[in-house]
Amino acid sequence: MTPRALDRGSIAFLIVVAVVAIAIPILNLALPESSPLHVPTYLVSLFGKYVCFALLALSIDLIWGYCGILSLGHGAFFALGGYAMGMYLMRQIGGRGVYGNPLLPDFMVFLNWKELPLAWWGFSHFPYAMLMVLLVPGLLALVFGWFAFRSRVTGVYFSIITQAMTFALMLAFFRNDFGFGGNNGLTDFKDILGANVQAGGTRAALFAVSCLALALGYVVCRVLVSSKFGMVLIAVRDAESRARFLGYRVESYKLAVFVISACMAGVAGALYVPQVGIINPGEFSPANSIEAVIWVAVGGRGTLVGAVIGALLVNYAKTTFTSGALAPYWLFLLGGLFVGVTLWLPRGIVGTLSHWRARRRAAAAETSATTETPVDGPTPKPAAAE
């Protein structure tokens, strides 16, 4: 299944990701700062953040582009994965915090917590934290999706309730008594797997791991959409009632792909947190989920590669335009970009290019067939006289 799923375009994409994953750390660590090819450490972290966003966009494209499920709450799964990683990083601080408490994080000491909450147990161990990175978003998606798909909530109604879900989580995590840092969130990280999280080598390693996660996520998505499972997803997207009439358990397929997508978003959030150094309830903001959908729309939904390209382009533009004279107008630019793409490039960048290329190939094939077919057919033989 895998060789058939990975066509030339997919292999080329994976090669590019592998080259970037190797080249950026080398240009950062091996070259002196005086070299024109040297990549500063802050750019390594910035590029790593972009890669995490690309993985989030990939997870959204899997459900929206191939199954027609428009989720406006995927930022919740991204944030939950980030909080799971942040809790592990907070437990690694130990007695090096401001208050010197070896068991309780600083914000718990400040709020007069007497013991570690049950939800924090086990997060001093990296394998347990990584399990929670997948389990917590996946379990939320399983429960939420089971009720939503069983009730046959689709279209704009599903988008609204996913947005309500992430907004409710944001309000909950803002509470100081919820046990996750309240408004300030989790920050002041020290170590990850015993390595200084601020060191250049650690940041380079995190960038490489993020690229590896993006490549693995792409392979998983490509294998899924190229299989019979993926064909059913496309059938559900194009004609859900017909797929149900043919005997397919549409709810089961939608729930399965929704859970897989949520786990991918959780991994993206977990890799995002140590590279930016903080996780707070603002990551649950519905605006973040909507922005992620725009990345996919710009790049081209239903293409996978387009989702990655859209995430990279829009976030690069965000970094560029939010630091200059256009900073107050960035949200207007983003909204205008989404409207423009919807009106003039409904297939997105990659989808439009693929459509144009397919049309050129079809036109060339038609021209070739017309040229090869003789204008006058063969002369029929005269009928034999009786």
Side-chain angles (χ1 to χ4, degrees), residues 67 232-246 248 250:
C67 196
V232 176
L233 294 182
I234 295 175
V236 171
R237 178 196 66 187
D238 295 339
E240 181 175 335
S241 59
R242 291 186 180 183
R244 183 177 286 107
F245 178 76
L246 291 174
Y248 290 103
V250 171

Side-chain angles (χ1 to χ4, degrees), residues 292-344:
V293 169
I294 295 176
W295 305 339
V296 179
V298 170
R301 69 186 182 103
T303 61
L304 296 182
V305 174
V308 174
I309 294 176
L312 298 178
L313 288 178
V314 175
N315 280 284
Y316 176 77
K318 182 177 181 179
T319 301
T320 302
F321 293 123
T322 54
S323 59
L326 295 176
Y329 310 103
W330 162 247
L331 291 179
F332 297 101
L333 293 174
L334 185 64
L337 176 65
F338 183 59
V339 172
V341 168
T342 303
L343 292 177
W344 296 298

Side-chain angles (χ1 to χ4, degrees), residues 185-199:
L186 308 178
T187 188
D188 194 29
F189 307 134
K190 307 292 185 185
D191 299 331
I192 179 170
L193 291 175
N196 183 1
V197 75
Q198 301 294 338

